[in-house]
């Protein structure tokens, strides 16, 4: 087969390795922390999680400069734990879900909040609010073999040195194994899939010139300048 034009593979950095993680798909969980659900006008009941996606090539490194996206006057940060899958499957049990995890990273699910609000009001999809260029910040992935499973750890984000988000990943409404198991009932998960697991309260606006720093204890950190 002859390709009309070559496609560049999307890969992510693996901490402590020259190897790269091939990114297949990006799934994101909405409203997975109670206080964030409240600040977004929702209720924090433990209903089944809902998912949305970003294109794989939305990935941008955790130390990169990020261009302010077009068509928004209200870009928001959302610090998140990211799960990288090394295997997959359908209808996974929570035990099988744990075994599918290759590693973890720190992410920032950037959101054009004004476009999201317009889409919600019109009962339209969120794609252009969530899936734009450089909207999926990702730190180097740390392997489970190196750090284990961080089911409790501080998660935080600051803008120009001022704290915005500060919580613990143990506060997730749906923990990581349950997220993976539930998602696997909708689609067949495979190696290379990334899952952004939701953000704690304190999301807010980012403007040109801001330095956004964040991290998860034992997992990693990010520091992006918006230009």
């Amino acid at each position: 087969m002859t390709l009309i034009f070559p496609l560049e593979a999307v890969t992510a950095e693996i901490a402590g390795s020259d190897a790269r993680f091939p990114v297949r798909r990006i799934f994101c969980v909405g409203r997975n922390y109670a206080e964030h659900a409240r600040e977004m006008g929702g209720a924090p009941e433990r209903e089944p999680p809902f998912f949305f996606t970003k294109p794989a090539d939305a990935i941008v490194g955790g130390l990169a400069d990020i261009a302010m996206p077009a068509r928004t006057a209200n870009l928001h940060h959302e610090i998140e734990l990211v799960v990288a899958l090394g295997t997959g499957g359908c209808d996974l049990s929570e035990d099988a879900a744990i075994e599918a995890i290759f590693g973890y990273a720190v992410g920032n699910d950037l959101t054009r909040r004004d476009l999201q609000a317009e889409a919600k009001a019109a009962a339209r999809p969120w794609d252009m609010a969530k899936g734009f260029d450089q909207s999926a910040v990702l730190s180097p992935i740390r392997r489970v073999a190196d750090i284990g499973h961080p089911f409790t750890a501080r998660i935080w984000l600051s803008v120009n040195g001022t704290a915005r988000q500060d919580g613990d990943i143990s506060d997730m409404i749906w923990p990581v194994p349950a997220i993976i198991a539930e998602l696997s009932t909708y689609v067949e998960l495979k190696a290379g899939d990334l899952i952004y697991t939701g953000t704690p309260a304190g999301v807010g606006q980012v403007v040109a010139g801001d330095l956004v720093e964040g991290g998860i204890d034992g997992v990693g950190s990010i520091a992006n300048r918006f230009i």
Side-chain angles (χ1 to χ4, degrees), residues 18-215:
D18 291 332
R20 304 280 298 184
F21 183 88
V23 179
R24 180 172 177 266
R25 294 181 295 186
I26 301 174
F27 299 97
C28 305
V29 183
R31 294 199 298 262
N32 198 29
Y33 289 77
E35 290 305 315
H36 175 58
R38 292 188 182 98
E39 75 178 350
M40 296 305 296
E45 290 87 358
R46 198 174 187 268
E47 60 185 1
F50 69 91
F51 302 95
F52 58 92
T53 63
K54 293 175 181 271
D57 62 4
I59 290 290
V60 61
L63 297 178
D65 287 345
I66 297 176
M68 292 295 294
R71 301 292 294 269
T72 183
N74 195 16
L75 180 68
H76 275 208
H77 58 76
E78 297 187 11
I79 191 76
E80 310 201 4
L81 175 70
V82 181
V83 179
L85 298 185
T87 62
C90 295
D91 296 313
L92 298 174
S93 68
E94 292 190 17
D95 287 342
I98 286 289
E99 294 301 317
I101 299 171
F102 172 82
Y104 296 90
V106 179
N108 190 355
D109 166 21
L110 297 174
T111 303
R112 294 193 277 206
R113 192 70 73 197
D114 44 0
L115 270 63
Q116 185 187 39
E118 291 171 10
K120 286 181 178 179
R124 294 173 179 167
W126 295 0
D127 296 57
M128 292 300 100
K130 287 287 192 176
F132 52 93
D133 299 339
Q134 296 188 310
S135 63
V137 179
L138 187 72
S139 75
I141 297 167
R142 298 196 65 192
R143 294 168 290 198
V144 169
D146 296 329
I147 65 170
H149 294 286
F151 293 147
T152 179
R154 181 183 177 228
I155 180 171
W156 62 275
L157 181 141
S158 67
V159 177
N160 301 324
T162 300
R164 290 273 188 90
Q165 296 182 265
D166 202 330
D168 196 287
I169 59 176
S170 63
D171 294 332
M172 289 183 189
I173 298 171
W174 286 84
V176 167
I179 290 169
I180 298 171
E182 179 72 9
L183 182 56
S184 75
T185 68
Y186 289 97
V187 295
E188 181 181 3
L189 298 173
K190 293 187 178 182
D193 289 340
L194 298 178
I195 305 172
Y196 283 60
T197 60
T199 193
V203 300
Q205 188 172 16
V206 178
V207 299
D210 282 348
L211 175 64
V212 176
E213 299 172 285

